[in-house]
Amino acid sequence: MSRILNRRGFVQSVVGAGAATWAGSLAFGAADQAPAAPKGQNQPARRATGLPARGEFVVHNDHVLTMDPVLGDIPGGDVHVRNGEIAAVGKNLSAPGATVLDARRMIVLPGLVDTHWHMWTTFLRSMAGDKPEQGYFPMTTAYGQVMRPEDMYRSTRLAAAEAIYSGITTVNDECHNVRGHDYAVEDIRALQEAGLRARWSWGPYRGIPPNQPRDLADFEALHRDWTKYSNGGLISLGFIWSGIGAITSPASPERFELSRKEIETARRLGVPISLHTSAKENAPPGWIEALATEKFLGKDLLLIHVLGASPEEMKLVAAAGASISVSPGSELRIGYGLTKACAFDEAGINVCVSVDTTPLTGNAHMFGILKLLRNAENAKAFDEFKLTARRALEFGTIQGARALGIDHLTGSLTPGKRADLILVRTDSLNMGFITDAAHLLVEATEPANVDTVVVDGRILKRSGKLTALDPEQVIADAAAALDEVGKRLPRARS
Ligand SMILES: [Zn+2]
């Protein structure tokens, strides 16, 4: 009871009357298009002042987890970063002229890699309610339908700030509320200003009718002009595919043709594809089998959730070289079932992890997600040793990079790769000192312990503080956007 009261109290204090009426409005449907902005409302958020320059520095005397199978761990090691690249990793490195970052009692590791996150939903944090009509899907649909491009920017910027704060250096921003070209541009802008490495995946929009064709011409235009959006190569383009249903519950012929056209467009352009499929453990069987039958499986496919996959289907995914992104934070919360990460892993599939959506998960605490994943797997197996902390960290770093096709750039501290790394300080009361580094990271680390975050050689968090974004401003802008969006919700008829 107190949790519900707290949630309502929070909603009312931040977003006023708008949010309080959204659930009642669902029975009557929400407007398909956001109305034009009245004068004086939803003023543009303050723009970021720019990203810090890439310097040359040595992270000195820390406990290095390279996540590189050859280099391994280096207690008391150094990492030399120059021109955005990892120049060297080892002990007592000589780098005349480089700034020294004293990292005693810290653990340095590759930045965490998220592989599926609907970042635009972030300002709806913890607003998936306790009744079916207030659940994640109706709630995000109601709000999503009345959002404007600027709201996408503000919500995604909140997500990007949290990502950096929490030690995530790469995201796959699965943008499934692209209601028009400007929605895409504004959502991408938030990533550009934050300085994250990202895949930005072009999706449909909340409330799209099942047989409504998507604006593939606009997707092609984004692809053609991508250098405008790529932030110097930090952000790549992805495609969220609609899928074709299961063998036991196939898509209609009309829907199948639309989906075929979608995937053929993405593949013609060489754009990687993601697909939410067979999400629930008790889903009707045959979703992966349907993809295999139609020859849609491929290495360029990132499958999401897939808790309903049979052992035979896991073999099909492995043979195709596709990856699976698991999001135990949201899967457990929404009732999709227990994770199957170890089963996927044992089948030879590249397993990676994801935040998914903060209306369900509350936050984007990736160390916490890895902890949840490992504990759930051990519980399922009645085995203390089922999933090691180090294997869980691999899911959250190098395997995520592999799933996004960027493991040549990031995912391990290997000389020649781009400098995406984080420093975790261990001198706070929830850690104290270094015992077993991998176990500490998965079991004890909180976002507040992340001292420093480096993306592509730019220091985006230092001494626990963000350097390119102003958290107070980011939060205030997101709260103002939610207030405005809430006022746009159609009111319930009484
Ligand atoms: Zn999702």
Side-chain angles (χ1 to χ4, degrees), residues 381-448:
F382 304 105
D383 182 355
E384 179 185 348
F385 312 105
K386 177 70 178 175
L387 178 60
T388 66
R390 193 166 293 267
R391 189 77 183 124
L393 282 174
E394 286 171 355
F395 293 169
T397 54
I398 186 64
Q399 299 211 167
R402 196 170 293 138
L404 298 179
I406 54 172
D407 51 315
H408 59 297
L409 296 174
T410 191
S412 66
L413 301 182
T414 304
K417 285 194 183 185
R418 303 304 292 171
D420 296 351
L421 56 91
I422 61 177
L423 274 66
V424 175
R425 56 184 320 132
T426 63
D427 58 0
S428 53
L429 278 171
N430 66 311
M431 308 261 267
F433 39 85
I434 298 175
T435 52
D436 180 291
H439 281 238
L440 269 183
L441 290 169
V442 174
E443 293 161 4
T445 302
E446 297 289 330

Side-chain angles (χ1 to χ4, degrees), residues 116-118 136 174 176 276 304-305 327 330 354 356-357:
H116 143 240
W117 187 355
H118 311 290
Y136 170 71
E174 292 254 317
H176 59 4
H276 288 64
I304 297 163
H305 303 313
S327 61
S330 63
S354 50
D356 193 356
T357 179

Side-chain angles (χ1 to χ4, degrees), residues 278-285 307-308 335-337:
S278 197
K280 288 188 177 179
E281 199 170 349
N282 61 353
L307 290 173
Y336 281 174

Side-chain angles (χ1 to χ4, degrees), residues 232-252:
L234 272 182
I235 308 173
S236 61
L237 181 62
F239 187 93
I240 302 175
W241 186 36
S242 307
I244 56 167
I247 293 279
T248 52
S249 56
S252 67

Side-chain angles (χ1 to χ4, degrees), residues 32 53 58 69 99 123 134 147 211 220 226 245 250 263 275 310-311 321 437 451 488:
D32 282 330
V58 173
T99 305
F123 72 168
Q134 302 169 342
M147 282 172 72
N211 289 335
E220 294 213 35
W226 190 250
I263 197 166
L275 174 66
S310 66
D451 178 89
R488 278 179 232 138

Side-chain angles (χ1 to χ4, degrees), residues 21-323:
T21 57
W22 72 264
S25 74
L26 294 174
F28 308 102
D32 282 330
Q33 297 296 327
K39 274 188 180 159
Q41 287 191 7
N42 215 6
Q43 292 300 320
R46 199 172 77 188
R47 304 301 191 238
T49 51
L51 293 170
R54 295 181 181 88
E56 179 177 359
F57 54 89
V58 173
V59 181
H60 180 58
N61 200 15
D62 50 292
H63 190 102
V64 186
L65 261 71
T66 66
M67 305 308 288
D68 179 306
V70 176
L71 297 172
D73 294 2
I74 309 170
D78 298 345
V79 181
H80 180 196
V81 173
R82 187 177 55 214
N83 298 329
E85 186 179 283
I86 297 171
V89 181
K91 280 201 167 188
N92 302 314
L93 296 179
S94 171
T99 305
V100 175
L101 305 186
D102 184 355
R104 273 172 296 176
R105 301 174 76 183
M106 295 194 198
I107 302 167
V108 62
L109 70 154
L112 301 171
V113 179
D114 158 77
T115 54
H116 143 240
W117 187 355
H118 311 290
M119 296 176 84
W120 71 269
T121 63
T122 300
F123 72 168
L124 306 172
R125 188 189 303 278
S126 296
M127 284 175 60
D130 293 322
K131 296 177 184 169
E133 65 272 23
Q134 302 169 342
Y136 170 71
F137 289 104
M139 189 277 287
T140 54
T141 299
Y143 278 89
Q145 285 182 320
V146 293
M147 282 172 72
R148 298 180 184 135
E150 174 83 11
D151 306 316
M152 301 289 286
Y153 166 77
R154 294 187 187 202
S155 189
T156 294
R157 194 175 57 158
L158 179 65
E162 188 187 357
I164 296 163
Y165 183 74
S166 308
I168 297 170
T169 54
T170 299
V171 295
N172 175 17
D173 181 6
E174 292 254 317
C175 192
H176 59 4
N177 198 34
V178 185
R179 316 188 73 78
H181 183 77
D182 290 349
Y183 286 74
V185 171
E186 286 294 285
D187 201 81
I188 296 165
R189 184 162 66 89
L191 299 177
Q192 292 171 319
E193 292 180 4
L196 283 166
R197 191 178 303 285
R199 177 190 287 182
W200 184 85
S201 294
W202 184 86
Y205 54 85
R206 284 321 218 200
I208 186 171
N211 289 335
Q212 171 77 38
R214 288 162 63 185
D215 188 357
L216 294 173
D218 193 49
F219 173 70
E220 294 213 35
L222 276 171
H223 177 262
R224 190 178 56 242
D225 300 335
W226 190 250
T227 47
K228 275 192 342 202
Y229 306 110
S230 77
N231 216 17
L234 272 182
I235 308 173
S236 61
L237 181 62
F239 187 93
I240 302 175
W241 186 36
S242 307
I244 56 167
I247 293 279
T248 52
S249 56
S252 67
E254 194 179 356
R255 179 62 251 173
F256 182 92
E257 276 312 301
L258 291 171
S259 286
R260 189 179 54 75
K261 202 171 164 200
E262 288 176 12
I263 197 166
E264 284 177 0
T265 301
R267 285 192 162 146
R268 174 167 52 79
L269 299 175
V271 172
I273 298 150
S274 55
L275 174 66
H276 288 64
T277 190
S278 197
K280 288 188 177 179
E281 199 170 349
N282 61 353
W287 293 77
I288 302 299
E289 194 186 337
L291 295 173
T293 302
E294 298 294 339
K295 303 201 175 354
F296 285 136
L297 280 179
K299 197 171 170 14
D300 59 352
L301 204 50
L302 173 61
L303 301 169
I304 297 163
H305 303 313
V306 212
L307 290 173
S310 66
E312 293 71 30
E313 288 182 314
M314 293 182 205
K315 286 182 196 156
L316 293 172
V317 174
S323 295

